[in-house]
């Protein structure tokens, strides 16, 4: 072989090596939730599901999807994932974003898809527990050491306290965050004006920024905004687990108020799914004992009573009263009365926040 041929062969081999290294580097830097959560390739498989969800449970799905793929039913099912503000995600699916399984923060975001004809009317009967595979409670996240001495809902209204909570116009988590003090102050809706007076004061005097989603609100708090973050307990657990590796300024504590609100996040199979059998199998796994344990490990409260008892130590706090949407009359009433066009809390945001 001539010297020129050898040089060309060597150059070709070097180019291939560089190209492969570049591909590997890009795979490691780019893919995010769609490709490689925790370094596990979840996109490959002869079958494929599109999961569209609100932002908060990504940390849970990063554990649950590999668990499902380790089962006989899920071993050859690849996943693409989309996460964002619950209301925004729901509207995208209603407009035609490909989806097989949806998981949103609040029931009305699935009702929108029923109205659009892409989720069956009986979706709540298609899985256990009214199709709610996990949940949480509303918690208060503070800087480590709790320098502002935050413990109760009343403490949020003290002069100078700045509160971070997302915009209820786009975020389901914002609705839960506001329902907690509303229910606490209104005695479960029996004195609605007292609840609305509290929310009005909170928004007018203490909420300075309006992130679009619960995850964006968490990021804003981590970046130093606000004294207290109203959030899901699972977000608080996730942040507290990072304390050991975080700089002092980023470390947090959290409080579960003695009067709080039960968060219930529904799941549904989209009736336009290209593989409804795989979609239903995945939803079944969410309710299985292994799936429930993974949700608990990710900081979400399992709905299976046995698993809940086994993992109770993961959820400290002394809850005296846990209000629910059912206590307030159900989502249809709550969404219309408080968050819909002309709803009382929507009007508060339009008036007090000017946004």
């Amino acid at each position: 072989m001539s010297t020129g041929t050898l040089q060309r062969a060597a150059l070709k081999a070097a180019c291939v090596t560089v190209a492969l290294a570049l591909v590997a580097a890009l795979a490691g830097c780019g893919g995010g939730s769609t490709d490689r959560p925790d370094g596990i390739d979840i996109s490959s498989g002869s079958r494929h599901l599109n999961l569209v969800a609100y932002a908060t449970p990504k940390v849970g799905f990063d554990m649950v999807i590999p668990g499902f793929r380790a089962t006989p039913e899920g071993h050859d099912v690849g996943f693409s994932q989309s996460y964002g503000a619950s209301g925004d995600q729901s509207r995208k699916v209603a407009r035609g974003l490909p989806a097989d399984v949806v998981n949103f923060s609040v029931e009305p975001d699935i009702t929108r898809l029923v109205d659009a004809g892409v989720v069956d009317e009986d979706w709540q009967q298609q899985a256990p527990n009214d199709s709610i595979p996990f949940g949480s409670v509303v918690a208060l996240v503070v800087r480590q050491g709790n320098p502002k001495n935050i413990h109760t809902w009343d403490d949020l209204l003290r002069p100078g306290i700045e509160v971070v909570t997302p915009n209820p116009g786009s975020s389901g988590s914002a609705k839960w965050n506001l329902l907690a003090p509303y229910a606490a102050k209104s005695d479960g809706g029996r004195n609605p004006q007292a609840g609305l007076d509290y929310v009005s004061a909170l928004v007018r005097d203490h909420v300075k920024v309006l992130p679009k989603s619960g995850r964006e609100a968490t990021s804003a708090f981590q970046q130093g905004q606000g004294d207290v973050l109203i959030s899901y307990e699972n977000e608080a657990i996730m942040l507290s687990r990072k304390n050991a590796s975080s700089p002092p300024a980023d470390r947090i504590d959290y409080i579960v108020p003695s009067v709080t609100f039960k968060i219930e996040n529904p799941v549904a199979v989209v009736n336009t799914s290209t593989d409804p059998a795989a979609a239903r199998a995945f939803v079944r796994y969410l309710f299985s004992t292994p799936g429930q344990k993974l949700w608990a490990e990710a900081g979400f409260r399992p709905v299976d009573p046995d698993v809940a008892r086994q993992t109770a130590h993961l959820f400290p706090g002394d809850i005296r009263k846990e209000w629910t949407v059912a206590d307030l009359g159900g989502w249809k009433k709550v969404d219309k009365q408080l968050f819909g066009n002309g709803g009382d809390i929507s009007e508060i945001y339009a008036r007090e926040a000017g946004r």
Side-chain angles (χ1 to χ4, degrees):
M1 186 178 293
S2 67
T3 301
T5 300
L6 288 170
Q7 290 174 335
R8 284 192 296 273
L11 179 60
K12 182 178 180 180
C15 290
V16 169
T17 300
V18 171
L20 290 173
L22 180 58
V23 168
L26 289 173
C29 296
S33 66
T34 304
D35 299 322
R36 298 180 63 83
D38 299 327
I40 300 170
D41 182 3
I42 62 164
S43 62
S44 63
S46 64
R47 306 165 74 181
H48 196 82
L49 293 178
N50 293 301
L51 169 66
V52 180
Y54 70 107
T56 302
K58 178 187 179 299
V59 63
F61 282 116
D62 282 353
M63 298 172 64
V64 170
I65 289 174
F68 172 65
R69 283 169 54 87
T71 69
E73 286 185 300
H75 78 282
D76 203 27
V77 179
F79 282 79
S80 295
Q81 298 168 91
S82 172
Y83 297 101
S86 187
D88 290 349
Q89 293 289 83
S90 173
R91 283 183 280 269
K92 289 176 184 176
V93 175
R95 292 194 299 263
L97 178 70
D100 297 284
V101 177
V102 294
N103 174 219
F104 296 140
S105 180
V106 293
E107 181 182 313
D109 287 336
I110 293 186
T111 303
R112 178 184 290 113
L113 303 189
V114 174
D115 295 340
V118 296
V119 166
D120 295 339
E121 289 187 8
D122 67 345
W123 64 273
Q124 287 178 301
Q125 285 72 56
Q126 294 180 9
N129 196 48
D130 290 332
S131 291
I132 297 168
F134 60 85
S136 193
V137 295
V138 178
L140 304 176
V141 182
V142 297
R143 309 296 174 187
Q144 190 173 53
N146 197 5
K148 296 299 179 74
N149 199 29
I150 303 292
H151 295 282
T152 69
W153 295 111
D154 288 339
D155 291 333
L156 302 192
L157 299 191
R158 295 204 322 257
I161 299 297
E162 292 192 6
V163 177
V164 178
T165 188
N167 187 342
S170 59
S171 168
S173 64
K175 294 180 179 181
W176 294 115
N177 292 354
L178 297 170
L179 285 175
Y182 172 82
K185 294 302 176 181
S186 69
D187 189 25
R190 295 178 180 85
N191 182 3
Q193 192 56 52
L196 294 173
D197 288 344
Y198 179 95
V199 174
S200 182
L202 179 73
V203 174
R204 181 185 65 241
D205 300 328
H206 302 277
V207 175
K208 305 300 182 183
V209 295
L210 289 176
K212 289 187 65 177
S213 72
R215 180 51 52 84
E216 288 187 14
T218 298
S219 296
F221 186 76
Q222 287 179 298
Q223 292 164 9
Q225 298 187 50
D227 302 301
V228 56
L229 168 71
I230 309 178
S231 188
Y232 290 8
E233 178 191 41
N234 55 276
E235 284 282 282
I237 291 171
M238 179 192 72
L239 291 174
S240 67
R241 289 174 178 173
K242 296 180 179 179
N243 278 348
S245 60
S246 298
D250 293 343
R251 296 172 189 168
I252 66 97
D253 289 328
Y254 71 92
I255 301 99
V256 177
S258 61
V259 180
T260 187
F261 208 88
K262 184 179 182 179
I263 296 169
E264 300 169 295
N265 309 127
V267 65
V269 173
V270 176
N271 60 26
T272 55
S273 170
T274 58
D275 195 338
R280 286 192 292 267
F282 178 59
V283 170
R284 282 196 300 272
Y285 182 78
L286 304 183
F287 292 89
S288 70
T289 297
Q292 289 285 287
K293 288 180 177 179
L294 289 172
W295 283 118
E297 290 172 16
F300 296 84
R301 294 194 174 219
V303 298
D304 180 281
D306 291 336
V307 178
R309 283 191 291 270
Q310 294 168 19
T311 60
H313 63 284
L314 299 176
F315 305 98
D318 183 15
I319 299 176
R320 178 169 54 84
K321 179 62 179 177
E322 185 180 77
W323 293 105
T324 70
V325 169
D327 293 326
L328 300 179
W331 265 116
K332 187 174 182 179
K333 176 182 176 181
V334 166
D335 215 36
K336 180 179 181 180
Q337 178 179 314
L338 298 179
F339 298 110
N341 291 331
D344 291 331
I345 290 180
S346 297
E347 289 296 310
I348 287 172
Y349 268 76
R351 180 179 69 249
E352 305 292 4
R355 50 204 155 172

